[in-house]
Amino acid sequence: MSWPQFEPLGECSLIVRWEQKIDQSLNARVHALARAIAAAALPGIEEIVPGYASLLLRFDPTYWGGQCAHAHEALRSRIEPMLRQAYPALSGEILEIEVRYGGADGPDLVALADAHGLDPHEFVARHCAPTYQVAMLGFAPGFPYLLGLDVRLHSPRRSTPRVRVPAGSVAIGGAQTGIYPSELPGGWHLIGRTRIRLFDAARKPPCLLKPGDRVRFVPIDGPAGASSEPGA
Amino acid sequence: MTVSVLAGGLCSTVQDLGRVGYGAIGVGRAGALDQDALCLANSLVGNAPGAAGMEITLAGPRLKFETGAAFALCGAPFDIRLDGRSLEAWRSHRAFAGSVLEFTQARSGARAWLALAGGIDLPCVLGSRSTDLNAGLGPLPRTLNPGDRLPLGAPSDRPKENAPRWSLDPRPWFATADASPLRLLPGRDLPQLEQRSLDVLCRQPFRISATSNRVALRLDGDPLQFRHSLECVSEPLVEGVVQLPPDGRPMILLGEHPVSGGYPCIGIIAAVDHARLAQARPGAAVRFTLISAAEAHRLREERQRARSELMAHIRRRLEQA
């Protein structure tokens, strides 16, 4: 069982980091610790941000013992015991997302399939096969980082990022796949697009997906949309 | 109570202290890049410290007061004129209905914060009125344009009709990014830098690139290199983090930074210097100096204390007036 490192990130933040690894069970630990810290309602905690294999705590050091330099230590000693608690696997809902692959919706599909020595249809089939798990939301509002990409599809990021990636683009970056919730700059390869609205600040909750949810991509030919059904 | 925008300026936005608590859904803070300056300007017009004001950048806007209101500007030295009359910054003034407020270009630095009595009263989006240009979030998710009308909230009863005749000394609160080296806390991946790159980082100047914005300051200079390539997994970030992308040119993250990212982290700018990051103008040459965590904490606390004391002092003087 791995024990995380505690690392200050500036004066008012603390990173709890397990390993530099994308791994489902590490990610479950991250979210379990995030829940435990939230439940403990510690004073002065402004934000708990889970990552893949790390967790960021933003806090007001004045709540953690006059001398700021000791705040990180004080916080650490409160959190460490929480690491001994059992951590349940993340659970969530299953969502099917319709994607139109290739063409104008996925301008990088053919070249990327080619680079992997795969036929584009085979590439799409491999992208649709897994049930992905939402590891975290980050990068931009509602951007889901999805775990479970077929190793054959791992692809280094584009050497030059795009200035504008259209909203709904389904993309691959390294060992990760994700969906751009809005028009953003981005360096991932675009293989398809969905019309599903992942983020809406006026909606409650604003994000369609949360960590622990599972996602299946369903290829379609017509206009891309989304359907949400239980079971898979 | 309304202020109309006649000309938007280069990059004027509505900002408060930002969106706190939404990092877990990928929503960053945004907010005024120098929170001290916004809080002080707000204090001068009797607002709560975190009331929404306007962040102006390099070339300021032209504004028309549809109703009378007190206002104050803190930050970089802009020449300001109210109906053609030159005004001092760092103090409270009163505009009358129909008054036009103009700003010329910043003489040094880059940004200033305009507080309006009552605060800009747009609806909150996820707990804040701040504009996040990068994420396209906020009640006004873009820079100000001619024709925009900004509603103001109800002002407090301070300052009274006559604007106070005293001003703040800007010296403790305003300094440019290149005035002295930026104080840097060592980051996770700093030890992986080549020795020569470490020397460059601590000894040579870097130029602020024109591609810098509210997301990050991008720096041009001798490219920095790691001893071997680093594999990083995306991790949550905070403002002040200095990332080193593969092209070897450091980026310093500002208020609109992505909530998470995967570039190596070579350092974090000490909080005491965050206000100076907001004042970095393209072409300026910045330097770095490493400091200890204990020193960074001490400097941050000192600045926090000075700010609280000054704001309490302002409150007392406004009550006496």
Side-chain angles (χ1 to χ4, degrees):
Chain A
M1 174 178 129
S2 64
W3 196 254
Q5 304 266 322
F6 287 72
E7 181 188 293
L9 191 65
E11 295 92 332
C12 309
S13 299
L14 181 67
I15 288 254
V16 187
R17 181 187 305 112
W18 278 262
E19 289 168 66
Q20 295 258 28
K21 207 165 105 182
I22 297 178
D23 175 281
Q24 206 140 327
S25 80
L26 276 182
N27 188 246
R29 282 169 184 267
V30 170
H31 289 287
L33 182 63
R35 280 196 304 271
I37 295 171
L42 303 177
I45 302 287
E46 293 177 347
E47 222 156 320
I48 305 168
V49 188
Y52 271 121
S54 59
L55 179 81
L56 172 78
L57 287 176
R58 297 181 68 140
F59 63 98
D60 181 346
T62 51
Y63 286 83
W64 289 87
Q67 281 290 325
C68 277
H70 304 309
H72 286 96
E73 268 314 304
L75 192 51
R76 172 191 180 141
S77 66
R78 282 297 297 277
I79 291 169
E80 266 187 326
M82 299 180 192
L83 290 164
R84 296 195 185 88
Q85 293 165 11
Y87 61 96
L90 261 188
S91 59
E93 289 158 54
I94 293 181
L95 192 81
E96 291 199 340
I97 293 179
E98 292 185 341
V99 178
R100 229 167 22 181
Y101 284 94
D105 293 306
D108 298 331
L109 175 66
V110 173
L112 201 60
D114 213 40
H116 287 285
L118 293 171
D119 172 83
H121 289 103
E122 161 93 28
F123 192 98
V124 169
R126 282 176 180 266
H127 192 256
C128 291
T131 301
Y132 297 97
Q133 181 164 302
V134 180
M136 63 162 168
L137 302 169
F139 173 61
F143 186 103
Y145 286 87
L146 301 175
L147 288 178
L149 184 66
D150 186 329
V151 193
R152 282 287 308 270
L153 307 191
H154 293 192
S155 321
R157 290 175 181 118
R158 289 167 56 87
S159 47
T160 312
R162 284 186 170 87
V163 180
R164 285 286 159 215
V165 170
S169 293
V170 176
I172 290 177
Q176 312 162 86
T177 188
I179 309 162
Y180 286 85
S182 52
E183 189 182 277
L184 289 160
W188 292 18
H189 301 270
L190 312 184
I191 57 169
R193 200 168 168 200
T194 174
R195 285 171 64 184
I196 200 165
R197 200 165 157 81
L198 288 178
F199 179 85
D200 178 355
R203 193 167 59 191
K204 282 188 182 169
C207 295
L208 191 68
L209 297 169
K210 60 180 185 303
D213 282 349
R214 280 168 293 160
V215 167
R216 291 182 66 93
F217 291 116
V218 180
I220 54 158
D221 294 328
S227 64
S228 179
E229 290 157 24
Chain B
M1 309 287 276
T2 306
V3 167
S4 296
V5 178
L6 302 179
L10 190 63
C11 178
S12 309
T13 54
V14 175
Q15 298 295 342
D16 55 18
L17 299 181
R19 240 161 238 110
V20 177
Y22 295 91
I25 60 168
V27 174
R29 293 197 166 190
L33 294 187
D34 177 355
Q35 308 217 328
D36 296 336
L38 176 67
C39 289
L40 290 172
N42 273 326
S43 298
L44 286 170
V45 298
N47 285 350
M54 194 184 293
E55 179 173 288
I56 69 174
T57 312
L58 291 169
R62 196 159 80 243
L63 306 171
K64 185 178 173 197
F65 287 85
E66 302 294 346
T67 41
F71 66 91
L73 186 77
C74 292
F78 282 79
D79 289 320
I80 42 179
R81 285 201 177 85
L82 185 67
D83 297 324
R85 194 164 52 93
S86 271
L87 297 179
E88 246 186 309
W90 298 89
R91 64 170 276 185
S92 171
H93 299 281
R94 182 162 286 276
F96 297 100
S99 289
V100 172
L101 182 64
E102 287 176 285
F103 304 80
T104 56
Q105 297 188 356
R107 290 193 303 275
S108 69
R111 293 184 176 88
W113 291 267
L114 175 71
L116 298 154
I120 297 174
D121 194 21
L122 291 166
C124 283
V125 172
L126 300 178
S128 165
R129 299 181 171 92
S130 287
T131 298
D132 186 329
L133 294 172
N134 187 49
L137 262 185
L140 195 63
R142 55 168 174 76
T143 55
L144 294 178
N145 286 331
D148 286 339
R149 291 168 60 81
L150 304 173
L152 302 185
S156 70
D157 55 357
R158 301 177 307 272
K160 311 250 190 280
E161 266 318 292
N162 297 316
R165 291 167 181 276
W166 42 271
S167 59
L168 303 182
D169 177 0
R171 280 173 299 183
W173 307 106
F174 169 74
T176 57
D178 51 358
S180 58
L182 293 166
R183 286 160 283 193
L184 188 68
L185 287 157
R188 179 191 69 201
D189 302 311
L190 187 74
Q192 309 302 324
L193 274 185
E194 276 185 346
Q195 186 55 46
R196 208 192 84 78
S197 292
L198 193 59
D199 293 342
V200 168
L201 179 68
C202 298
R203 301 217 172 95
Q204 292 195 21
F206 292 83
R207 295 237 167 245
I208 305 291
S209 156
T211 58
S212 301
N213 53 16
R214 281 178 44 87
V215 174
L217 296 177
R218 295 171 179 87
L219 306 182
D220 292 328
D222 262 2
L224 305 179
Q225 286 182 328
F226 291 113
R227 282 180 286 185
H228 46 85
S229 78
L230 295 181
E231 286 286 318
C232 294
V233 169
S234 281
E235 198 166 275
L237 298 166
V238 297
E239 55 279 357
V241 160
V242 184
Q243 292 186 321
L244 191 63
D247 68 4
R249 294 187 306 191
M251 292 193 307
I252 308 176
L253 302 182
L254 302 180
E256 285 188 12
H257 68 81
V259 168
S260 52
Y263 290 135
C265 166
I266 56 172
I268 305 107
I269 302 292
V272 69
D273 280 338
H274 285 191
R276 291 172 57 210
L277 299 177
Q279 301 299 350
R281 52 160 84 196
V286 297
R287 291 171 181 274
F288 297 101
T289 185
L290 287 171
I291 67 165
S292 68
E295 181 71 351
H297 280 294
R298 193 184 61 74
L299 291 166
R300 176 184 169 276
E301 280 175 10
E302 222 172 75
R303 191 177 168 92
Q304 289 268 78
R305 197 162 39 238
R307 187 182 94 175
S308 310
E309 282 169 8
L310 182 55
M311 282 167 48
H313 178 74
I314 294 169
R315 238 183 344 263
R316 280 197 302 275
R317 286 198 70 168
L318 292 183
E319 274 159 14
Q320 285 159 14

PDB file of all heavy atoms in Angstrom, chain B residues 6 8 44 54 60 92 107 136 171-172 189-191 196 221 240 245-246 253 261 270 286-287 310 319:
ATOM      1  N   LEU B   6     -18.226  53.915 -22.632  1.00  0.00           N
ATOM      2  CA  LEU B   6     -18.162  54.629 -23.914  1.00  0.00           C
ATOM      3  C   LEU B   6     -17.080  54.020 -24.800  1.00  0.00           C
ATOM      4  O   LEU B   6     -17.223  53.930 -26.013  1.00  0.00           O
ATOM      5  CB  LEU B   6     -17.881  56.119 -23.683  1.00  0.00           C
ATOM      6  CG  LEU B   6     -18.882  56.877 -22.803  1.00  0.00           C
ATOM      7  CD1 LEU B   6     -18.476  58.330 -22.629  1.00  0.00           C
ATOM      8  CD2 LEU B   6     -20.296  56.789 -23.382  1.00  0.00           C
ATOM      9  N   GLY B   8     -14.053  50.696 -24.458  1.00  0.00           N
ATOM     10  CA  GLY B   8     -13.714  49.574 -23.578  1.00  0.00           C
ATOM     11  C   GLY B   8     -12.278  49.562 -23.084  1.00  0.00           C
ATOM     12  O   GLY B   8     -11.966  48.929 -22.076  1.00  0.00           O
ATOM     13  N   LEU B  44     -11.691  52.636  -0.001  1.00  0.00           N
ATOM     14  CA  LEU B  44     -11.710  54.088  -0.183  1.00  0.00           C
ATOM     15  C   LEU B  44     -13.100  54.621  -0.530  1.00  0.00           C
ATOM     16  O   LEU B  44     -13.403  55.778  -0.273  1.00  0.00           O
ATOM     17  CB  LEU B  44     -10.721  54.492  -1.283  1.00  0.00           C
ATOM     18  CG  LEU B  44      -9.243  54.427  -0.891  1.00  0.00           C
ATOM     19  CD1 LEU B  44      -8.354  54.608  -2.121  1.00  0.00           C
ATOM     20  CD2 LEU B  44      -8.908  55.481   0.165  1.00  0.00           C
ATOM     21  N   MET B  54     -13.600  47.134 -11.481  1.00  0.00           N
ATOM     22  CA  MET B  54     -13.172  46.964 -12.864  1.00  0.00           C
ATOM     23  C   MET B  54     -11.657  46.851 -12.898  1.00  0.00           C
ATOM     24  O   MET B  54     -10.959  47.657 -12.287  1.00  0.00           O
ATOM     25  CB  MET B  54     -13.627  48.186 -13.672  1.00  0.00           C
ATOM     26  CG  MET B  54     -13.556  47.991 -15.178  1.00  0.00           C
ATOM     27  SD  MET B  54     -13.994  49.523 -16.023  1.00  0.00           S
ATOM     28  CE  MET B  54     -15.718  49.687 -15.603  1.00  0.00           C
ATOM     29  N   GLY B  60      -6.762  52.307 -20.602  1.00  0.00           N
ATOM     30  CA  GLY B  60      -8.024  52.218 -19.868  1.00  0.00           C
ATOM     31  C   GLY B  60      -9.241  52.586 -20.703  1.00  0.00           C
ATOM     32  O   GLY B  60      -9.128  53.060 -21.840  1.00  0.00           O
ATOM     33  N   SER B  92     -10.339  58.699  -3.015  1.00  0.00           N
ATOM     34  CA  SER B  92     -11.744  58.670  -3.393  1.00  0.00           C
ATOM     35  C   SER B  92     -12.128  59.982  -4.071  1.00  0.00           C
ATOM     36  O   SER B  92     -11.676  61.051  -3.667  1.00  0.00           O
ATOM     37  CB  SER B  92     -12.562  58.442  -2.116  1.00  0.00           C
ATOM     38  OG  SER B  92     -13.919  58.614  -2.377  1.00  0.00           O
ATOM     39  N   ARG B 107       1.525  54.622 -17.107  1.00  0.00           N
ATOM     40  CA  ARG B 107       2.898  55.148 -17.269  1.00  0.00           C
ATOM     41  C   ARG B 107       3.930  54.079 -16.948  1.00  0.00           C
ATOM     42  O   ARG B 107       5.011  54.065 -17.492  1.00  0.00           O
ATOM     43  CB  ARG B 107       3.098  56.376 -16.371  1.00  0.00           C
ATOM     44  CG  ARG B 107       2.305  57.605 -16.834  1.00  0.00           C
ATOM     45  CD  ARG B 107       2.781  58.855 -16.128  1.00  0.00           C
ATOM     46  NE  ARG B 107       2.691  58.736 -14.666  1.00  0.00           N
ATOM     47  CZ  ARG B 107       1.594  59.000 -13.971  1.00  0.00           C
ATOM     48  NH1 ARG B 107       0.506  59.400 -14.592  1.00  0.00           N
ATOM     49  NH2 ARG B 107       1.590  58.872 -12.665  1.00  0.00           N
ATOM     50  N   GLY B 136     -14.641  31.636 -20.373  1.00  0.00           N
ATOM     51  CA  GLY B 136     -15.900  32.193 -20.848  1.00  0.00           C
ATOM     52  C   GLY B 136     -16.978  32.163 -19.780  1.00  0.00           C
ATOM     53  O   GLY B 136     -18.127  31.841 -20.044  1.00  0.00           O
ATOM     54  N   ARG B 171       3.287  53.446  -2.493  1.00  0.00           N
ATOM     55  CA  ARG B 171       4.580  52.742  -2.538  1.00  0.00           C
ATOM     56  C   ARG B 171       4.590  51.341  -1.941  1.00  0.00           C
ATOM     57  O   ARG B 171       5.193  50.442  -2.528  1.00  0.00           O
ATOM     58  CB  ARG B 171       5.675  53.610  -1.903  1.00  0.00           C
ATOM     59  CG  ARG B 171       6.168  54.671  -2.877  1.00  0.00           C
ATOM     60  CD  ARG B 171       7.106  55.633  -2.217  1.00  0.00           C
ATOM     61  NE  ARG B 171       6.432  56.335  -1.122  1.00  0.00           N
ATOM     62  CZ  ARG B 171       7.015  57.285  -0.396  1.00  0.00           C
ATOM     63  NH1 ARG B 171       8.280  57.626  -0.616  1.00  0.00           N
ATOM     64  NH2 ARG B 171       6.344  57.889   0.563  1.00  0.00           N
ATOM     65  N   PRO B 172       3.924  51.092  -0.810  1.00  0.00           N
ATOM     66  CA  PRO B 172       3.967  49.700  -0.326  1.00  0.00           C
ATOM     67  C   PRO B 172       3.148  48.742  -1.191  1.00  0.00           C
ATOM     68  O   PRO B 172       3.286  47.534  -1.064  1.00  0.00           O
ATOM     69  CB  PRO B 172       3.334  49.797   1.076  1.00  0.00           C
ATOM     70  CG  PRO B 172       3.242  51.247   1.393  1.00  0.00           C
ATOM     71  CD  PRO B 172       3.207  51.981   0.106  1.00  0.00           C
ATOM     72  N   ASP B 189       9.901  20.124  -9.417  1.00  0.00           N
ATOM     73  CA  ASP B 189      10.831  19.626 -10.434  1.00  0.00           C
ATOM     74  C   ASP B 189      12.083  20.479 -10.589  1.00  0.00           C
ATOM     75  O   ASP B 189      12.894  20.225 -11.484  1.00  0.00           O
ATOM     76  CB  ASP B 189      10.088  19.524 -11.775  1.00  0.00           C
ATOM     77  CG  ASP B 189       8.869  18.618 -11.664  1.00  0.00           C
ATOM     78  OD1 ASP B 189       9.024  17.515 -11.133  1.00  0.00           O
ATOM     79  OD2 ASP B 189       7.766  19.030 -12.076  1.00  0.00           O
ATOM     80  N   LEU B 190      12.265  21.455  -9.715  1.00  0.00           N
ATOM     81  CA  LEU B 190      13.456  22.310  -9.812  1.00  0.00           C
ATOM     82  C   LEU B 190      14.759  21.506  -9.761  1.00  0.00           C
ATOM     83  O   LEU B 190      15.676  21.771 -10.542  1.00  0.00           O
ATOM     84  CB  LEU B 190      13.443  23.378  -8.711  1.00  0.00           C
ATOM     85  CG  LEU B 190      14.567  24.426  -8.818  1.00  0.00           C
ATOM     86  CD1 LEU B 190      14.288  25.401  -9.956  1.00  0.00           C
ATOM     87  CD2 LEU B 190      14.737  25.201  -7.511  1.00  0.00           C
ATOM     88  N   PRO B 191      14.855  20.505  -8.874  1.00  0.00           N
ATOM     89  CA  PRO B 191      16.117  19.751  -8.805  1.00  0.00           C
ATOM     90  C   PRO B 191      16.449  18.998 -10.097  1.00  0.00           C
ATOM     91  O   PRO B 191      17.595  18.579 -10.270  1.00  0.00           O
ATOM     92  CB  PRO B 191      15.879  18.750  -7.656  1.00  0.00           C
ATOM     93  CG  PRO B 191      14.752  19.312  -6.867  1.00  0.00           C
ATOM     94  CD  PRO B 191      13.904  20.055  -7.843  1.00  0.00           C
ATOM     95  N   ARG B 196      23.244  24.257 -15.758  1.00  0.00           N
ATOM     96  CA  ARG B 196      23.339  25.515 -16.506  1.00  0.00           C
ATOM     97  C   ARG B 196      21.990  26.240 -16.502  1.00  0.00           C
ATOM     98  O   ARG B 196      21.933  27.463 -16.347  1.00  0.00           O
ATOM     99  CB  ARG B 196      23.768  25.231 -17.950  1.00  0.00           C
ATOM    100  CG  ARG B 196      24.522  26.384 -18.598  1.00  0.00           C
ATOM    101  CD  ARG B 196      24.674  26.182 -20.096  1.00  0.00           C
ATOM    102  NE  ARG B 196      23.487  26.633 -20.822  1.00  0.00           N
ATOM    103  CZ  ARG B 196      23.220  27.905 -21.087  1.00  0.00           C
ATOM    104  NH1 ARG B 196      24.040  28.865 -20.686  1.00  0.00           N
ATOM    105  NH2 ARG B 196      22.129  28.243 -21.744  1.00  0.00           N
ATOM    106  N   GLY B 221      13.553  33.840 -23.142  1.00  0.00           N
ATOM    107  CA  GLY B 221      14.918  33.922 -22.623  1.00  0.00           C
ATOM    108  C   GLY B 221      15.665  32.687 -23.062  1.00  0.00           C
ATOM    109  O   GLY B 221      15.170  31.936 -23.918  1.00  0.00           O
ATOM    110  N   GLY B 240       0.670  31.543  -9.499  1.00  0.00           N
ATOM    111  CA  GLY B 240       2.051  31.713  -9.042  1.00  0.00           C
ATOM    112  C   GLY B 240       2.952  30.557  -9.424  1.00  0.00           C
ATOM    113  O   GLY B 240       4.175  30.690  -9.405  1.00  0.00           O
ATOM    114  N   PRO B 245       7.171  24.197 -19.938  1.00  0.00           N
ATOM    115  CA  PRO B 245       6.739  23.341 -21.038  1.00  0.00           C
ATOM    116  C   PRO B 245       7.962  22.845 -21.830  1.00  0.00           C
ATOM    117  O   PRO B 245       9.065  23.332 -21.615  1.00  0.00           O
ATOM    118  CB  PRO B 245       5.873  24.260 -21.896  1.00  0.00           C
ATOM    119  CG  PRO B 245       5.797  25.566 -21.195  1.00  0.00           C
ATOM    120  CD  PRO B 245       6.857  25.610 -20.157  1.00  0.00           C
ATOM    121  N   PRO B 246       7.749  21.906 -22.757  1.00  0.00           N
ATOM    122  CA  PRO B 246       8.885  21.333 -23.479  1.00  0.00           C
ATOM    123  C   PRO B 246       9.726  22.357 -24.247  1.00  0.00           C
ATOM    124  O   PRO B 246      10.904  22.100 -24.510  1.00  0.00           O
ATOM    125  CB  PRO B 246       8.219  20.351 -24.461  1.00  0.00           C
ATOM    126  CG  PRO B 246       6.888  20.066 -23.888  1.00  0.00           C
ATOM    127  CD  PRO B 246       6.479  21.253 -23.092  1.00  0.00           C
ATOM    128  N   LEU B 253       1.768  31.131 -13.835  1.00  0.00           N
ATOM    129  CA  LEU B 253       0.307  31.077 -13.872  1.00  0.00           C
ATOM    130  C   LEU B 253      -0.318  32.237 -13.105  1.00  0.00           C
ATOM    131  O   LEU B 253       0.112  32.575 -12.005  1.00  0.00           O
ATOM    132  CB  LEU B 253      -0.193  29.753 -13.298  1.00  0.00           C
ATOM    133  CG  LEU B 253       0.321  28.503 -14.004  1.00  0.00           C
ATOM    134  CD1 LEU B 253      -0.295  27.256 -13.377  1.00  0.00           C
ATOM    135  CD2 LEU B 253       0.025  28.553 -15.499  1.00  0.00           C
ATOM    136  N   GLY B 261      -3.042  20.768 -14.745  1.00  0.00           N
ATOM    137  CA  GLY B 261      -2.185  20.728 -15.917  1.00  0.00           C
ATOM    138  C   GLY B 261      -1.016  19.799 -15.684  1.00  0.00           C
ATOM    139  O   GLY B 261      -0.740  19.413 -14.545  1.00  0.00           O
ATOM    140  N   ALA B 270       6.424  33.646  -4.693  1.00  0.00           N
ATOM    141  CA  ALA B 270       5.939  33.911  -3.335  1.00  0.00           C
ATOM    142  C   ALA B 270       4.730  34.848  -3.392  1.00  0.00           C
ATOM    143  O   ALA B 270       4.673  35.768  -4.213  1.00  0.00           O
ATOM    144  CB  ALA B 270       7.055  34.528  -2.498  1.00  0.00           C
ATOM    145  N   VAL B 286      12.263  40.431 -16.379  1.00  0.00           N
ATOM    146  CA  VAL B 286      12.125  40.031 -14.975  1.00  0.00           C
ATOM    147  C   VAL B 286      13.235  39.055 -14.601  1.00  0.00           C
ATOM    148  O   VAL B 286      13.762  38.331 -15.434  1.00  0.00           O
ATOM    149  CB  VAL B 286      10.747  39.386 -14.682  1.00  0.00           C
ATOM    150  CG1 VAL B 286       9.632  40.379 -14.923  1.00  0.00           C
ATOM    151  CG2 VAL B 286      10.529  38.130 -15.511  1.00  0.00           C
ATOM    152  N   ARG B 287      13.572  39.081 -13.330  1.00  0.00           N
ATOM    153  CA  ARG B 287      14.574  38.158 -12.793  1.00  0.00           C
ATOM    154  C   ARG B 287      13.963  37.391 -11.630  1.00  0.00           C
ATOM    155  O   ARG B 287      12.955  37.811 -11.069  1.00  0.00           O
ATOM    156  CB  ARG B 287      15.785  38.940 -12.271  1.00  0.00           C
ATOM    157  CG  ARG B 287      16.593  39.591 -13.359  1.00  0.00           C
ATOM    158  CD  ARG B 287      17.641  40.521 -12.760  1.00  0.00           C
ATOM    159  NE  ARG B 287      18.390  41.159 -13.809  1.00  0.00           N
ATOM    160  CZ  ARG B 287      19.469  40.626 -14.384  1.00  0.00           C
ATOM    161  NH1 ARG B 287      19.930  39.459 -13.977  1.00  0.00           N
ATOM    162  NH2 ARG B 287      20.088  41.265 -15.356  1.00  0.00           N
ATOM    163  N   LEU B 310      -4.284  49.018   7.280  1.00  0.00           N
ATOM    164  CA  LEU B 310      -4.604  50.173   6.446  1.00  0.00           C
ATOM    165  C   LEU B 310      -6.110  50.246   6.185  1.00  0.00           C
ATOM    166  O   LEU B 310      -6.713  51.329   6.247  1.00  0.00           O
ATOM    167  CB  LEU B 310      -3.829  50.097   5.121  1.00  0.00           C
ATOM    168  CG  LEU B 310      -4.031  51.262   4.159  1.00  0.00           C
ATOM    169  CD1 LEU B 310      -3.709  52.601   4.832  1.00  0.00           C
ATOM    170  CD2 LEU B 310      -3.153  51.098   2.912  1.00  0.00           C
ATOM    171  N   GLU B 319     -15.399  57.213   8.673  1.00  0.00           N
ATOM    172  CA  GLU B 319     -16.454  57.416   9.664  1.00  0.00           C
ATOM    173  C   GLU B 319     -16.353  58.798  10.298  1.00  0.00           C
ATOM    174  O   GLU B 319     -17.363  59.416  10.616  1.00  0.00           O
ATOM    175  CB  GLU B 319     -16.384  56.329  10.741  1.00  0.00           C
ATOM    176  CG  GLU B 319     -17.149  55.095  10.323  1.00  0.00           C
ATOM    177  CD  GLU B 319     -16.723  53.847  11.077  1.00  0.00           C
ATOM    178  OE1 GLU B 319     -16.025  53.969  12.113  1.00  0.00           O
ATOM    179  OE2 GLU B 319     -17.073  52.756  10.601  1.00  0.00           O
TER     180      GLU B 319
END
